[in-house]
Amino acid sequence: MAVENAEERKQLDAAELGAIAHLYRGEVYRSTLWRTRLDTTTNWAVVTLGIALSIAFSSPAASPLPLILVGVLIFFFLMLEARRYRYFNVWRARCRWMEVHFFAPMLHDGNLHMEEGWQRVLAEDYWRPTHHVSMAVAIGRRIRRNYFWILLIQSIAYVGKLLVHPEPLTSASQLIDRATIGPVQGQYVLGLGAMYCLTWGAISLLSWRDDRNRAKTHPARSGMG
C-alpha cells in the first residue's frame, strides 16, 4: 500500500507537464469547435421561428399553421443540438477537470496533489471514452439554457394569433374554431400543443433534478459530468 501511495504521489517531469499543457490546448480547441456547432443549431431554430412568425402575422387572414409546423423543425434542431452537446460536454468536462485539479493547485500552492487520484479519473476517460450525460439530460440542459425562450415565443405567438386574428376573440368557442386544422378539431390541436409544451417542461425539470443529484452524490467529480 505504501508503494502504491508513493507511485500515486510521483511528481511529473518537465516533459510530462508540457504534454499535459498541449493536451489541454487540444481539448480547449475541440470544446470550442463543438460549442460553435451548438450556436449554429440554435441560430437555425431562431431563424426558422422568425420566418414562421413573419408568415403567420403577415396579415389578419394568414393561417397560424406555420407556427405549428415550425415546431417540427425546432424538434429536429433540438435533437441535433442535444446530440452535439453530448460530445461537447466530454471535451468541456476534460478541460474543466484539468483546470480544477492540475492548473489551479499548481498556481495556488505549487503542488499538483497527485495523491488525490484526479489523474486516474482523467486516464479512465481517455481509455474508455463515453458520453457523460444521457440524451434526455442533454435535451433538458439545452431547453433550460436556450430553447426555453424559443419554445415560449412560439407558444405565445400561436396563442396570440388565435386571440387577435382575424379579429379579437369574443368567446371560447371561437378559439376552438380557429385552432381547427382541416379534419382535426381545435380541442385536439390545443391539447397536442399543451402536451408538446408539458413534455419539454418535464424533460427540462428531470434534467435539472439529475444535475442537482449528480452534484450532491459526487461533488468532487461533478466537473466530469
Side-chain angles (χ1 to χ4, degrees):
M1 182 66 66
V3 175
E4 291 181 358
N5 291 338
E7 291 179 353
E8 289 180 358
R9 293 183 177 89
K10 178 179 71 69
Q11 297 298 313
L12 300 176
D13 57 30
E16 291 170 331
L17 290 173
I20 292 179
H22 285 294
L23 178 64
Y24 174 75
R25 290 178 60 189
E27 295 295 355
V28 168
Y29 172 77
R30 289 202 287 188
S31 65
T32 301
L33 181 64
W34 281 86
R35 184 68 183 85
T36 303
R37 294 181 178 182
L38 294 180
D39 292 338
T40 299
T41 48
T42 302
N43 291 339
W44 291 345
V46 171
V47 170
T48 54
L49 177 59
I51 295 173
L53 289 171
S54 299
I55 296 174
F57 287 92
S58 60
S59 70
S63 171
L65 185 60
L67 293 172
I68 297 178
L69 296 179
V70 76
V72 178
L73 290 176
I74 292 176
F75 170 80
F76 171 76
F77 293 142
L78 179 56
M79 295 299 103
L80 181 60
E81 185 164 328
R83 177 180 177 274
R84 290 178 173 181
Y85 176 82
R86 296 181 77 194
Y87 285 96
F88 159 77
N89 188 61
V90 174
W91 322 134
R92 179 207 60 81
R94 289 175 179 173
C95 291
R96 185 58 182 158
W97 193 256
M98 284 187 276
E99 289 169 355
V100 171
H101 297 282
F102 178 75
F103 290 103
M106 181 172 58
L107 293 171
H108 186 264
D109 54 16
N111 189 346
L112 298 180
H113 297 289
M114 303 294 287
E115 74 279 0
E116 295 180 355
W118 60 266
Q119 71 279 11
R120 290 181 177 273
V121 176
L122 187 61
E124 288 289 339
D125 197 59
Y126 279 107
W127 275 329
R128 286 176 287 273
T130 183
H131 294 299
H132 296 169
V133 296
S134 66
M135 188 67 173
V137 171
I139 293 172
R141 288 183 179 180
R142 300 320 297 162
I143 292 174
R144 282 155 41 207
R145 295 172 186 175
N146 279 344
Y147 280 76
F148 169 79
W149 302 106
I150 297 174
L151 296 169
L152 180 63
I153 292 172
Q154 179 197 10
S155 301
I156 292 177
Y158 176 72
V159 174
K161 173 68 177 178
L162 297 181
L163 293 177
V164 301
H165 285 169
E167 58 186 15
L169 194 69
T170 58
S171 66
S173 60
Q174 283 185 327
L175 178 65
I176 296 177
D177 292 339
R178 294 179 185 183
T180 300
I181 301 176
V184 183
Q185 296 181 3
Q187 59 265 32
Y188 298 115
V189 176
L190 294 175
L192 289 175
M195 186 179 300
Y196 172 81
C197 296
L198 291 175
T199 299
W200 295 134
I203 292 175
S204 62
L205 178 61
L206 290 175
S207 72
W208 174 76
R209 293 181 60 183
D210 181 85
D211 289 341
R212 186 181 62 176
N213 293 335
R214 186 194 301 266
K216 288 182 179 179
T217 306
H218 304 288
R221 300 185 61 172
S222 57
M224 290 293 283

